[in-house]
Amino acid sequence: MSDADQVWMRRALELAERGRGAVEPNPLVGAVVVRDGQVVGEGWHECFGGPHAEVHALAQAGAAAQGATLYVTLEPCCHVGKTPPCTEAVLRAGVARVVAAMADPFPQVAGQGIARLQAAGVAVTVGVEEEAARRLNAPYLKLLATGMPYVYAKWAMTLDGKIATRTGDSRWISNRASRHLVHALRGRMDAIIVGIGTALADDPLLTARPPGPRTATRIVLDSRGRLPSESQLIRTLADAPVLLAVAEQADPETMKRLRSAGCELLPLPVQDGHISIPALLAELGRRRMTNVLVEGGAGVLGSFHDAGAIDEVHVFIAPRLAGGVESKTPIAGRGVERIADSLELSHWDVQSVGDGPRPDVFIHGWR
């Protein structure tokens, strides 16, 4: 490994990020072809089912790929999927060396792509910027390892930790710039999850405005099927699907009403009076959902926290004080008995959001 290897791999990681929201459940992948210290080709996986990053980069390089080094953020595939094997494209191009950030744990690859290249005489280096590559594809890696999607928890709160006043009012705690970031996040999700309490109190749309690369399924944890037929969620079914997670013993007539309105119903077991979060996530994983966003309220966020299911948080803190012992805080549920058992973010960053006199503080972190 050399300093140059790290420089070019960081460029490949930058390119890979451009596919976020467009390629899932496939991984984000970027590739750079370098010859004599100069970039002769670049590419990234642009859309699900489309050519992989290596193919784009090699096509751009053309004849200059002969004898060059290919930097790629994930081991080249060696199987026929929706596209031909990338290993064969690498060999046809005459690449002399491949530098991969990490091996691909996908069972049909899992080191076989590396072995194929080495057997053909290509020099292979693996592990350059591996930590960054694993972070880039944390949702993909979780889905492969556990069969469950990656869970983002998002909330906006006042400086004294309130997500709503004692009357339930919450519009708007965060500023316009913060809400713009939330819509961008929604546009990359496979699903957005709220509880029936939030659906009844706020009558939300739960759509990305403007639309992003993905249209999220809007999921309501509604064990008794209380979502009104006149709600915005049901009225906008043509724009985005609605899935209601209901109790297995829910009233048949209520379920008939919701099905007739166009909602999909997902009967799930109930634990301690709440929809089972592990059962929900297992079903979403079976549907190959990779990224899901939990927007609340406090009870739902608490259920995910109690289940140990939160992977990443996006928190917007406004310079306001709401006060009130009855005002809502972000995460309810049972909580932990000892601070030592609390969810600790291993990585996090803080930024100011908004150009006005009272910007919000945005904290983004992950396990």
Side-chain angles (χ1 to χ4, degrees):
M1 185 191 309
S2 67
D3 290 343
D5 286 346
Q6 292 179 304
V7 168
W8 297 125
M9 187 60 75
R10 287 169 188 159
R11 174 57 181 166
L13 289 164
E14 290 176 1
L15 293 168
E17 181 64 38
R18 299 183 184 182
R20 192 173 298 280
V23 305
E24 294 87 349
N26 282 355
L28 307 176
V29 183
V32 178
V33 183
V34 177
R35 182 172 177 176
D36 299 326
Q38 299 294 319
V39 174
V40 294
E42 292 186 334
W44 66 94
H45 188 25
E46 298 178 6
C47 63
F48 179 74
H52 290 185
E54 301 95 316
V55 173
H56 284 300
L58 292 169
Q60 189 179 99
Q66 182 77 34
T69 297
L70 169 68
Y71 293 88
V72 62
T73 57
L74 192 68
E75 173 186 4
C77 67
C78 54
H79 66 290
V80 176
K82 292 186 178 297
T83 60
C86 289
T87 51
E88 306 316 298
V90 172
L91 296 176
R92 285 195 302 271
V95 167
R97 180 178 179 233
V98 171
V99 180
M102 60 175 289
D104 187 350
F106 186 68
Q108 291 177 274
V109 184
Q112 297 174 75
I114 294 168
R116 168 71 177 123
L117 294 172
Q118 290 175 326
V122 177
V124 179
T125 301
V126 182
V128 177
E129 295 291 329
E130 181 170 357
E131 182 178 351
R134 288 188 173 278
R135 174 62 204 150
L136 174 82
N137 273 314
Y140 167 75
L141 296 174
K142 182 186 178 185
L143 184 62
L144 275 183
T146 69
M148 295 185 181
Y150 190 85
V151 176
Y152 303 76
K154 165 264 165 184
W155 64 87
M157 67 182 185
T158 60
L159 197 57
D160 55 336
K162 309 296 184 181
I163 62 170
T165 67
R166 58 182 172 80
T167 65
D169 181 61
S170 62
R171 295 188 179 179
W172 294 103
I173 292 175
S174 57
N175 62 33
R176 186 182 299 272
S178 293
R179 298 197 297 275
H180 178 78
L181 289 180
V182 171
H183 281 285
L185 182 63
R186 285 179 175 180
R188 301 193 298 268
M189 295 292 113
D190 294 302
I192 300 169
I193 302 173
V194 298
I196 185 59
T198 295
L200 293 174
D202 296 345
D203 191 22
L205 278 170
L206 302 181
T207 53
R209 303 183 293 278
R214 303 187 85 77
T215 299
T217 296
R218 300 170 293 175
I219 300 176
V220 182
L221 305 191
D222 186 10
S223 59
R224 290 183 286 161
R226 293 188 289 154
L227 186 68
S229 299
E230 63 274 15
S231 68
Q232 288 199 100
L233 289 170
I234 291 181
R235 294 203 318 267
T236 57
L237 275 165
D239 300 325
V242 172
L243 186 154
L244 302 182
V246 299
E248 292 171 324
Q249 303 81 12
D251 176 63
E253 286 302 313
T254 300
M255 299 303 100
K256 181 179 179 181
R257 171 184 68 83
L258 292 167
R259 284 196 183 94
S260 298
C263 298
E264 180 185 359
L265 303 187
L266 178 60
L268 291 171
V270 172
Q271 297 176 342
D272 300 324
H274 302 287
I275 294 293
S276 167
I277 299 305
L280 171 66
L281 291 177
E283 174 58 31
L284 299 185
R286 280 191 288 272
R287 298 177 183 217
R288 307 305 293 165
M289 290 190 179
T290 310
N291 299 280
V292 301
L293 175 64
V294 183
E295 290 210 14
V300 170
L301 284 165
S303 293
F304 275 83
H305 177 262
D306 288 343
I310 295 174
D311 297 298
E312 183 169 322
V313 297
H314 291 243
V315 181
F316 299 87
I317 305 173
R320 302 170 179 269
L321 298 174
V325 68
E326 296 179 2
S327 298
K328 296 182 182 297
T329 55
I331 297 180
R334 295 187 308 274
V336 298
E337 294 183 1
R338 303 184 308 152
I339 291 297
D341 298 326
S342 60
L343 171 59
E344 184 175 3
L345 303 180
S346 61
H347 298 81
W348 54 279
D349 57 60
V350 181
Q351 66 184 83
S352 177
V353 179
D355 297 327
R358 293 182 296 278
D360 292 342
V361 173
F362 172 42
I363 298 178
H364 166 221
W366 56 92
R367 290 173 174 267

